[in-house]
Amino acid sequence: MHPEAPLPSFRLTVGVSMIQASPWQTAAVTLASPALDVMTDLTKVKAATIRPDQTLHQAEQTMIYQGVRMLFVVSDMPELEGLITSTDLRGERQMRLVHARQLRFDEMRVADVMTELGWLDAIEFGHMRSATVGNMIATLKRVGRNHLLVVQAAAHGAPRRVRGVISRTQVERQLGALIDIAEIASSFSEVERALL
């Protein structure tokens, strides 16, 4: 075929359907399964993002549209500023901010309630190769979080990059069992931050 020749084309008929993406991981796991089986790998799944200046309503709509419960907060890709989860959208902290700043809820921005980079817990991607689902659950419980970032060292002294996410909801779905995680404040300043 000539390199500039058009390809044969045709008109579609009634009954044509669309291929639908299969979930990235549908197999059930056990506590002894490899931890990589429950990690959302950002080299295979596009990260869901939002800007810090967007409203909480926009964040909620983005989560619904993308079918996620967590968004990475970024102003300039690919530099990460924090996370916002569905739990962050409504809660006591938001109501205290509304009253303290005399704001309406629809005036609140992602930056007002996101978890900033310095508060996020992470593990090295290298540890994932030998870890199990049981190790991931124990780590989520120890840090008292619903999400755990998996970071990978970059070449030649560049900053680390987020390679994946461990989500309690995803682990529960694949494990077929609920995981009881008590949220833990990791420092006195985090306790003060929660009271704002």
Side-chain angles (χ1 to χ4, degrees):
M1 177 183 292
H2 188 273
E4 294 180 21
L7 297 174
S9 62
F10 57 93
R11 297 282 170 100
L12 297 177
T13 59
V14 174
V16 172
S17 62
M18 293 184 61
I19 292 176
Q20 295 187 352
S22 56
W24 69 273
Q25 178 62 277
T26 56
V29 298
T30 67
L31 294 176
S33 297
L36 289 171
D37 288 354
V38 296
M39 182 184 88
T40 301
D41 189 337
L42 297 179
T43 65
K44 298 176 181 166
V45 176
K46 186 177 184 224
T49 63
I50 194 160
R51 291 187 329 271
D53 61 345
Q54 290 188 277
T55 66
L56 296 187
H57 177 71
Q58 289 171 313
E60 183 176 44
Q61 291 305 307
T62 301
M63 287 181 196
I64 291 168
Y65 177 73
Q66 296 199 19
V68 296
R69 298 178 54 129
M70 181 201 81
L71 300 169
F72 291 98
V73 180
V74 294
S75 291
D76 296 314
M77 278 300 276
E79 191 173 328
L80 179 64
E81 294 177 44
L83 299 179
I84 186 166
T85 68
S86 57
T87 306
D88 296 328
L89 297 178
R90 305 229 190 267
E92 290 180 33
R93 180 167 188 255
Q94 292 68 23
M95 299 320 299
R96 284 191 297 267
L97 282 170
V98 165
H99 293 299
R101 296 183 187 172
Q102 298 184 350
L103 297 170
R104 292 190 326 262
F105 180 79
D106 60 350
E107 295 175 317
M108 294 186 70
R109 305 283 173 201
V110 168
D112 294 324
V113 300
M114 72 180 195
T115 303
E116 295 173 5
L117 193 63
W119 295 100
L120 299 174
D121 292 293
I123 58 172
E124 291 285 348
F125 179 68
H127 294 307
M128 294 293 291
R129 297 179 200 279
S130 61
T132 65
V133 171
N135 296 135
M136 292 298 92
I137 293 170
T139 306
L140 286 167
K141 286 182 176 185
R142 181 177 50 82
V143 298
R145 304 281 190 207
N146 290 321
H147 296 92
L148 188 63
L149 299 182
V150 180
V151 297
Q152 184 174 21
H156 309 296
R160 291 177 168 161
R161 299 176 297 170
V162 176
R163 168 69 185 263
V165 179
I166 302 294
S167 162
R168 179 183 95 178
T169 305
Q170 181 66 35
V171 175
E172 288 175 337
R173 188 178 304 124
Q174 288 182 249
L175 193 59
L178 295 177
I179 303 167
D180 185 30
I181 296 178
E183 194 170 327
I184 299 169
S186 58
S187 68
F188 181 70
S189 58
E190 187 172 1
V191 171
E192 286 184 316
R193 179 177 167 267
L195 296 174
L196 289 177

